[in-house]
Amino acid sequence: LGLAQFLLGRFAEAVEAYEEALQLDPDNKASKSYLEKAKKKLAAEEAKENKKDNKEKDKDVAPSEAPKSLPPATLPTTGGGSPTKTREQIRIDEKEANKFKSTGNAKMVARDHDGAIAAYTAAIELCPDGPSSHVYYSNRAAALCYLERYEQAEEDSETSIRLRPDYGKGWARLGLSRFFLHDYEGAVLAYQEALKYEPDNPASRSYLQKAMRKLEEEAEDALSSSHRNGALSEESI
């Protein structure tokens, strides 16, 4: 439940769910890790909201303070940011963003992963929440994985999924980044979701099995450690 809330961007609910889970299983490493991540995401959201509120307050004051001689184009825009894009500009930006995506794909084929990241980043900057933006984030996550930048890849994968929850590749890249971050429980859950949308993907099936085996090994190691500690306690009595 906590992971589902986290992936949907409901960080307050995720914090609550993980805190409840840790009351039942206080030594669960995955729950502890995701609780910290959810708290950081929640804090970042709150900081962003506060900044937005401050901008709104400044905007309310600004018009009365602006010199009457200023032309309308120099007055603060809505939200304190850049002017709202026209539909035509949005269409142009989406077209250019797709060109950058194609460039990134070509860089990936050439194994120029830094170049691919730069191209996908350019696409994201042009079109951060358009109809294909989930692909840009997912593709950048793939490039980041090749460079072993797994934490950043995880973040991009999560953004891709939030933009389009039924995107199988986004889930698969989330699973891959978590696998190499040794978050095997999170990897299993991500690959299970990936296979809902791409049931014939052999890489997802393979890594799901690998992650499940890693989880089993961790459980066996924890059990062995518990038995050893118990034996040492008995010897000391």
Side-chain angles (χ1 to χ4, degrees):
L1 179 59
L3 184 61
Q5 301 286 16
F6 184 91
L7 292 173
L8 289 170
R10 300 170 183 164
F11 302 119
E13 291 87 344
V15 167
E16 185 178 344
Y18 280 120
E19 285 177 343
E20 289 179 5
L22 285 167
Q23 288 178 5
L24 300 173
D25 185 5
D27 297 323
N28 189 298
K29 292 180 181 179
S31 292
K32 287 180 179 178
S33 173
Y34 277 104
L35 175 60
E36 290 305 311
K37 289 180 182 180
K39 284 181 177 179
K40 287 179 181 178
K41 293 279 189 180
L42 182 60
E45 274 196 349
E46 289 175 348
K48 186 177 180 181
E49 193 64 30
N50 289 336
K51 187 176 181 181
K52 182 180 177 182
D53 290 342
N54 290 335
K55 281 186 177 181
E56 289 296 324
K57 289 177 183 177
D58 292 341
K59 185 183 72 174
D60 291 340
V61 175
S64 62
E65 296 175 349
K68 292 182 180 180
S69 60
L70 284 175
T74 64
L75 293 173
T77 56
T78 302
S82 57
T84 304
K85 290 181 181 180
T86 63
R87 289 184 180 180
E88 180 62 17
Q89 187 59 53
I90 291 171
R91 187 189 67 78
I92 292 170
D93 285 351
E94 287 175 355
K95 187 175 180 180
E96 287 301 307
N98 279 323
K99 288 181 181 178
F100 278 117
K101 183 199 75 171
S102 297
T103 298
N105 293 348
K107 298 284 186 183
M108 288 287 283
V109 171
R111 298 186 180 278
D112 177 6
H113 302 120
D114 285 311
I117 289 169
Y120 295 136
T121 299
I124 289 166
E125 288 175 349
L126 273 171
C127 192
D129 54 2
S132 299
S133 300
H134 62 287
V135 178
Y136 310 153
Y137 280 103
S138 177
N139 286 7
R140 190 169 71 175
L144 287 163
C145 280
Y146 275 107
L147 296 178
E148 300 182 6
R149 292 160 61 180
Y150 300 119
E151 290 185 358
Q152 291 170 291
E154 181 184 33
E155 289 180 6
D156 272 1
S157 301
E158 288 169 352
T159 302
S160 174
I161 293 163
R162 278 197 288 275
L163 289 170
R164 185 170 169 181
D166 64 348
Y167 188 50
K169 285 183 179 178
W171 284 105
R173 283 155 188 171
L174 179 61
L176 186 66
S177 57
R178 286 180 173 169
F179 182 88
F180 287 107
L181 287 169
H182 309 295
D183 175 11
Y184 302 120
E185 183 178 358
V188 166
L189 293 170
Y191 278 122
Q192 286 172 339
E193 287 296 317
L195 288 166
K196 284 183 184 178
Y197 306 112
E198 294 184 343
D200 299 323
N201 188 305
S204 291
R205 287 190 175 279
S206 173
Y207 269 98
L208 174 60
Q209 294 302 316
K210 289 179 182 179
M212 291 175 73
R213 282 197 297 271
K214 290 288 188 180
L215 269 181
E216 290 172 2
E217 289 171 9
E218 283 188 345
E220 289 171 1
D221 289 343
L223 185 61
S224 298
S225 177
S226 177
H227 287 164
R228 285 195 299 271
N229 291 337
L232 289 171
S233 297
E234 289 177 3
E235 288 177 4
S236 64
I237 295 173

